[in-house]
Amino acid sequence: MNRHKLYYTSILLLCILAISGCNDTVFIDDDDLNSDYTEVEIEGDGGEATLTVSTKDLLNISIDYFGRTPYKYYNANGEEIPENSPASELYKIAGHFTMQDFEVIKTGNKLTFRSVENCLLTDDNITIRLEYTYTTKFIHLRILKGKPLQLVNTMYTTAEPDVNDMADMRTSTYRFTNNGPIDQIFEVRPYLTGHHTLSVIVEEGWAKHIRVNIPVLWYIGNEWGFKDQDLRLGNDYDWTPYNYNTTVNVSIPANSTAKITAIQCYTSAKAEGVITFRKPVTGTELTTRFVCISKFPYKYDIKVDEVN
């Protein structure tokens, strides 16, 4: 009888140990990470998502960054801590940038990804690194593009544009032979190869490539003025000038060869100003200085040299 009791007691102890072992390896470390690489997507303006992660043997949580301002790390007391701080001390990773505002919050075994605002022109891709004693896991966070910056005001601070009527000279050369017995007319278009150029150079990098409709320097008639124009800040524009079809008749004497030189004379104008934007979610205003530069072929000269 005692032997039977000892037998059953032994079996019961083995079952308890087996169950305890299963609980330790399977249920305690369960999380939402599919594998070593998990993807999460949230809206740029007000988007949020939460994942459950295993905290057993978790050493550190950080965000990879390449060529951007480093993120800031905080503990539960709101104190800034080093990036390589133990995961147990981490409460929040914050990315408060000019065009974007988001954070990663750690509460127990929960990671919450929250985007306040994303004014970037494209979606943003962020990699969160979870370092364990036995492996490294990655969370790829895609923050979708939110509302763009809103143009508030454009103001020129230059009283009068800085005009230079000898900004540039460009030449085109033609060779024409008249083998006939009478004079012949050769049509020259001095502005045919001309360029009307425009650049709005911004001081702050975040403002580059933002599409706006603002007044820019424009050669109208015989003088510089301002015209509203759709463009991207920081881009260079090159148009065919409106006077490109101007035609000049040059008479070539009979039985002669002439070298015709068309000279384009350029005028340029420059003006400085300030442009202000507003972030649509938080209402924060951003300001940058800019310089508007434009150039236009406004007059020409024709020279004719006879070639023997």
Side-chain angles (χ1 to χ4, degrees):
M1 190 68 175
N2 291 335
R3 290 182 179 178
H4 288 297
K5 288 183 178 179
L6 179 61
Y7 172 78
Y8 287 117
T9 300
S10 300
I11 293 298
L12 181 59
L13 288 172
L14 288 173
C15 289
I16 291 172
L17 289 172
I19 293 172
S20 299
C22 289
N23 283 339
D24 183 56
T25 58
V26 177
F27 301 106
I28 292 177
D29 290 339
D30 194 22
D31 60 29
D32 292 334
L33 304 186
N34 298 325
S35 61
D36 290 344
Y37 185 84
T38 303
E39 293 189 353
V40 179
E41 183 177 285
I42 61 176
E43 293 293 330
D45 296 337
E48 185 175 311
T50 299
L51 289 180
T52 300
V53 300
S54 172
T55 56
K56 183 181 180 182
D57 297 325
L58 178 58
L59 300 175
N60 175 258
I61 302 176
S62 63
I63 296 181
D64 291 346
Y65 61 90
F66 304 96
R68 66 165 75 191
T69 304
Y71 301 90
K72 292 187 176 182
Y73 295 73
Y74 299 91
N75 61 22
N77 296 324
E79 300 166 338
E80 189 171 348
I81 60 177
E83 178 182 342
N84 59 355
S85 297
S88 59
E89 297 180 9
L90 178 68
Y91 169 69
K92 181 172 69 175
I93 305 175
H96 301 307
F97 307 123
T98 303
M99 298 284 281
Q100 187 182 41
D101 193 345
F102 82 97
E103 56 192 14
V104 180
I105 298 176
K106 176 179 171 290
T107 308
N109 64 345
K110 303 288 186 182
L111 282 184
T112 299
F113 312 97
R114 182 180 299 144
S115 177
V116 177
E117 190 166 31
N118 181 19
C119 297
L120 297 173
L121 301 177
T122 60
D123 299 344
D124 195 20
N125 298 290
I126 298 167
T127 301
I128 296 97
R129 180 187 298 264
L130 284 73
E131 294 281 358
Y132 290 87
T133 56
Y134 53 90
T135 190
T136 300
K137 295 185 178 183
F138 298 93
I139 299 173
H140 176 219
L141 176 63
R142 181 187 297 275
I143 302 178
L144 299 180
K145 179 175 65 173
K147 297 183 182 69
L149 292 177
Q150 300 169 342
L151 178 62
V152 176
N153 183 46
T154 304
M155 180 180 65
Y156 280 91
T157 56
T158 306
E160 294 290 338
D162 180 12
V163 176
N164 180 4
D165 286 335
M166 293 296 292
D168 195 9
M169 295 181 66
R170 300 180 185 180
T171 62
S172 298
T173 302
Y174 309 92
R175 192 182 181 95
F176 184 83
T177 299
N178 179 8
N179 291 321
I182 60 175
D183 294 356
Q184 292 191 23
I185 300 298
F186 182 77
E187 288 189 348
V188 178
R189 295 182 178 179
Y191 298 128
L192 188 62
T193 60
H195 299 269
H196 174 195
T197 62
L198 174 72
S199 298
V200 178
I201 305 166
V202 287
E203 187 175 76
E204 300 293 339
W206 54 262
K208 289 182 178 179
H209 311 305
I210 295 178
R211 182 175 290 280
V212 294
N213 182 288
I214 61 173
V216 296
L217 289 166
W218 204 266
Y219 195 75
I220 306 170
N222 295 316
E223 62 182 1
W224 286 101
F226 288 94
K227 172 191 171 185
D228 288 346
Q229 181 69 29
D230 285 317
L231 52 82
R232 288 190 183 275
L233 298 174
N235 288 16
D236 295 327
Y237 290 88
D238 191 330
W239 298 286
T240 299
Y242 68 80
N243 55 2
Y244 79 98
N245 209 27
T246 300
T247 301
V248 178
N249 292 328
V250 177
S251 178
I252 308 300
N255 300 310
S256 67
T257 297
K259 184 179 76 170
I260 304 169
T261 303
I263 304 172
Q264 302 170 12
C265 300
Y266 281 79
T267 178
S268 70
K270 181 175 74 171
E272 299 180 358
V274 176
I275 187 167
T276 302
F277 294 92
R278 180 183 294 116
K279 298 170 75 172
V281 175
T282 60
T284 304
E285 291 195 351
L286 305 173
T287 300
T288 182
R289 299 186 63 82
F290 71 89
V291 178
C292 179
I293 302 174
S294 186
K295 192 159 58 174
F296 189 87
Y298 75 112
K299 69 177 182 179
Y300 66 86
D301 190 17
I302 302 292
K303 291 184 177 180
V304 180
D305 297 309
E306 187 173 343
V307 179
N308 296 325

